[in-house]
Amino acid sequence: GAVVSQHPSRVICKSGTSVKIECRSLDFQATTMFWYRQFPKQSLMLMATSNEGSKATYEQGVEKDKFLINHASLTLSTLTVTSAHPEDSSFYICSARDKTSGGAYEQYFGPGTRLTVT
Amino acid sequence: GQNIDQPTEMTATEGAIVQINCTYQTSGFNGLFWYQQHAGEAPTFLSYNVLDGLEEKGRFSSFLSRSKGYSYLLLKELQMKDSASYLCAAGWGGKLIFGQGTELSVKP
């Protein structure tokens, strides 16, 4: 149980285009999903917290107009990188919190999406 | 603010024991998590401490001292497959704040 999927696993796009990444909880309902970015040999940096049916909360320094997050249902959140630039190339990982979980901090991670902007 | 520190790299020998330390300073604290991450993959949950003391799970144990803002992950009977990055994360404000990760290399 507690499986989170991401799609696509890898994507290459041209500078200036937009890319959408999907995060799905496959066997549980997730009231909260988190989006992280990880550069090579660095740790996970939280970008934003996404709650179903409401606006995402972005961490300081993350441009909300550039990284659009939509959490339209209890099993799906999407991250759209708009007008991508080479410096946006990174490993993007989502995680989800089980609605029924008693653990307030327990998160299940997706497999990640490798974005390369050329 | 929050600050979480752990060593950048460690090397250990197959079959040995290794301890990875993590110190944290957070204004408000709701538990300490340890994750394992292989290159290019998602983190996988190892352990969670909210109270002081030792939590043991097979070859992995984790210890927490809240008064000292200190935790460690202990890996016993090291195997080559344990070569990975180990991330400690503090629960804070409904979120997880990650340290920079410790890259562990297990050598024969």
Side-chain angles (χ1 to χ4, degrees):
Chain A
V3 178
V4 176
S5 71
Q6 277 185 246
H7 177 80
S9 57
R10 289 177 180 272
V11 59
I12 301 172
C13 71
K14 292 187 184 297
S15 187
T17 61
S18 296
V19 173
K20 180 185 283 189
I21 302 170
E22 293 186 348
C23 176
R24 293 181 185 272
S25 56
L26 298 185
D27 51 3
F28 66 97
Q29 293 184 321
T31 47
T32 305
M33 289 184 171
F34 302 87
W35 287 97
Y36 297 86
R37 181 167 52 183
Q38 187 175 35
F39 292 106
K41 295 195 179 295
Q42 295 186 24
S43 191
L44 278 72
M45 296 298 297
L46 180 64
M47 300 174 67
T49 302
S50 155
N51 292 298
E52 185 263 338
S54 63
K55 290 185 178 180
T57 303
Y58 290 81
E59 294 299 303
Q60 191 173 8
V62 178
E63 300 173 58
K64 63 180 181 181
D65 295 330
K66 180 171 180 62
F67 298 99
L68 301 179
I69 292 172
N70 186 306
H71 193 157
S73 76
L74 284 171
T75 59
L76 173 65
S77 177
T78 60
L79 168 69
T80 301
V81 183
T82 62
S83 187
H85 290 285
E87 56 265 30
D88 298 323
S89 298
S90 187
F91 193 48
Y92 292 85
I93 304 176
C94 73
S95 69
R97 183 180 296 154
D98 189 337
K99 179 182 179 182
T100 62
S101 172
Y105 289 86
E106 191 169 10
Q107 299 180 21
Y108 302 99
F109 285 85
T113 297
R114 173 75 60 192
L115 170 64
T116 303
V117 185
T118 61
Chain B
Q2 313 87 44
N3 189 38
I4 300 173
D5 286 317
Q6 50 182 132
T8 306
E9 296 177 329
M10 295 184 74
T11 302
T13 305
E14 190 176 16
I17 300 173
V18 71
Q19 177 175 311
I20 302 174
N21 297 323
C22 173
T23 59
Y24 65 90
Q25 294 174 320
T26 63
S27 53
F29 172 79
N30 288 283
L32 199 292
F33 292 75
W34 283 96
Y35 287 84
Q36 180 192 61
Q37 186 181 27
H38 287 97
E41 298 180 10
T44 55
F45 172 78
L46 291 177
S47 70
Y48 168 53
N49 296 69
V50 65
L51 300 175
D52 286 0
L54 189 68
E55 292 281 341
E56 296 187 79
K57 277 188 177 184
R59 294 191 300 116
F60 296 82
S61 303
S62 59
F63 171 83
L64 176 67
S65 169
R66 293 178 67 128
S67 62
K68 295 181 179 178
Y70 168 68
S71 174
Y72 68 72
L73 179 69
L74 195 69
L75 293 78
K76 303 175 185 176
E77 301 170 14
L78 279 173
Q79 302 174 9
M80 299 299 290
K81 67 178 182 179
D82 296 329
S83 293
S85 183
Y86 291 85
L87 311 173
C88 72
W92 180 85
K95 305 179 288 190
L96 289 178
I97 309 299
F98 283 86
Q100 70 266 33
T102 299
E103 190 70 35
L104 174 66
S105 297
V106 180
K107 301 196 180 301

